[in-house]
Each structure stands twice: as structure tokens, then as C-alpha cells.
């Protein structure tokens, strides 16, 4: 666990509420995947990867998704508190992905928060070069502030919050419990 920025925190969604939301996201994903035999589930590291794992488990358990390519992408632009780390969105390619062929796959890209759209756009651009049939985007939280032409196909919750405020998706093992907090920085 990392040191959290200071400020007023308000719990917006508890573990129980989020489990219901992720169940609904899995139901929506299953609808998008109906009739698809080749599926890839891609998580954006860090928390998007853990959410992709949760979604994958539900798709297997409740919707019979048997075979699925499961991989993660390392994309960096912002710190968890929305501090700009890099002026350009950086994707660090995993050497194991250099020969990745997604031809014929339906790809679901999963992230925790859609903020400005930089990370999701970079992921979609990267994956599109692998020739999938279709790419769909999935986020737990959409802040409704995207500046780029990227929209989420599946959204757990939409939260319109003031620009200086931060949506904190807490996902174990990075945090103690699965929850969404609103941070109003000091």
C-alpha cells in the first residue's frame, strides 16, 4: 500500500455494492460476447488488471467463458492522485506481447477510472495493431470528463465530480477493502 494524499474522504461505494456492480458489468460483457469464441480480456495495470481478474472470474463462473486470453498492459500518465507524471501517455510493452496476434478476437479492455481518456486511447491504439475483430472498453468508474474520442462500452458507475476531486478505486491487495472513495484534497 502506498501513502494516500491528505484530504476529506467519503465512501461512495462499499464492497457489497461494488460486488453487485461488477456482477452487472459481467452480465453486460457476456451480452457483448454472445457468439464470440475468441476473447481477450486486457487489464490496464494496476487496478484495471485486478478488476479484469474479477470480471474474468464472474464470466467464467456465471456465463461459461471457458477460454480467454488474459493479459495486462503497463500504461502510465497519472499517479493515483491525478498528478501528471508524464506529458505523454506511456505504454511499456511486455516483451511477451511483441508477437501477440489477436486476429479474430473480441477484446475487452478494463480500467478502474476513465478520466481524460489518455490511458484507454493508448491501450486501444496498441491493441488495434494486433488485428482484433472488435475492441470494447470497460471501466468501473467513468468521471464524464474524457477529452479524447474514447467512450466506455461498459460502465460500472458514472460519477461527475469537481475537477480537483479524486475518485479512489480501492482494490485489494493494493488497499484493504474493495470500495470507491471520493477524495477532496486539502
Amino acid at each position: 500500500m502506498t501513502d494516500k494524499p491528505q484530504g476529506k474522504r467519503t465512501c461512495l461505494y462499499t464492497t457489497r455494492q461494488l460486488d453487485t456492480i461488477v456482477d452487472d458489468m459481467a452480465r453486460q460483457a457476456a451480452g457483448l460476447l454472445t457468439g464470440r469464441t475468441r476473447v481477450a480480456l486486457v487489464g490496464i495495470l494496476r487496478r484495471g488488471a485486478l478488476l479484469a481478474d474479477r470480471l474474468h472470474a464472474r464470466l467464467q463462473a456465471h456465463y461459461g467463458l471457458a477460454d480467454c486470453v488474459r493479459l495486462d498492459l503497463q500504461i502510465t500518465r497519472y499517479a493515483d492522485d491525478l498528478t501528471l507524471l508524464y506529458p505523454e501517455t506511456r505504454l511499456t510493452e511486455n516483451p511477451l506481447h511483441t508477437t501477440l496476434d489477436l486476429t479474430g478476437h473480441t477484446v475487452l479492455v478494463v480500467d478502474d477510472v476513465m478520466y481524460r481518456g489518455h490511458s484507454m486511447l493508448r491501450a486501444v491504439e496498441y491493441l488495434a495493431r494486433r488485428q482484433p475483430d472488435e475492441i470494447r472498453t470497460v471501466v468501473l468508474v467513468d468521471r464524464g470528463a474524457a477529452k479524447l474520442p474514447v467512450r466506455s462500452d461498459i460502465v460500472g458507475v458514472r460519477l461527475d465530480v469537481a475537477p480537483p476531486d479524486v475518485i479512489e478505486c480501492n482494490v485489494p491487495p493494493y488497499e484493504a477493502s474493495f470500495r470507491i472513495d471520493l477524495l477532496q484534497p486539502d
Side-chain angles (χ1 to χ4, degrees):
M1 289 186 224
T2 60
D3 290 330
K4 296 262 187 181
Q6 296 300 307
K8 178 185 175 196
R9 278 187 177 71
T10 305
C11 179
L12 301 178
Y13 291 90
T14 64
T15 299
R16 185 174 171 173
Q17 292 168 318
L18 286 176
D19 283 340
T20 300
I21 289 167
V22 174
D23 286 343
D24 186 57
M25 293 169 67
R27 181 192 55 75
Q28 291 178 62
L32 289 176
L33 298 173
T34 300
R36 310 302 199 283
T37 56
R38 301 177 78 190
V39 176
L41 196 55
V42 179
I44 297 178
L45 290 168
R46 296 185 332 160
R47 289 166 186 84
L50 297 171
L51 292 166
D53 289 340
R54 286 174 184 259
L55 190 61
H56 185 221
R58 283 169 171 85
L59 287 168
Q60 285 179 317
H62 303 295
Y63 300 98
L65 180 67
D67 293 326
C68 176
V69 173
R70 178 67 190 86
L71 58 109
D72 298 322
L73 296 178
Q74 175 73 44
I75 299 176
T76 311
R77 181 173 173 85
Y78 298 102
D80 290 339
D81 64 357
L82 300 182
T83 304
L84 188 64
L85 295 176
Y86 305 104
E88 295 180 14
T89 307
R90 294 184 178 186
L91 185 144
T92 304
E93 186 171 35
N94 182 328
L96 299 174
H97 298 167
T98 56
T99 60
L100 181 65
D101 181 9
L102 294 174
T103 302
H105 285 76
T106 296
V107 177
L108 297 180
V109 185
V110 182
D111 204 2
D112 58 343
V113 178
M114 171 73 80
Y115 182 45
R116 299 288 189 196
H118 294 279
S119 297
M120 190 62 80
L121 181 61
R122 185 69 178 98
V124 168
E125 288 172 338
Y126 174 80
L127 293 165
R129 291 194 300 269
R130 269 83 187 136
Q131 302 300 310
D133 281 355
E134 181 177 16
I135 299 174
R136 298 295 188 133
T137 57
V138 180
V139 295
L140 181 60
V141 178
D142 185 335
R143 284 189 57 151
K147 297 289 185 184
L148 300 174
V150 178
R151 300 294 177 258
S152 302
D153 295 297
I154 298 173
V155 175
V157 295
R158 181 181 167 108
L159 298 172
D160 295 315
V161 299
D165 294 345
V166 178
I167 297 296
E168 292 183 336
C169 288
N170 298 285
V171 185
Y174 297 122
E175 290 83 24
S177 63
F178 188 33
R179 58 188 279 155
I180 295 175
D181 291 338
L182 173 67
L183 168 65
Q184 294 169 299
D186 289 338

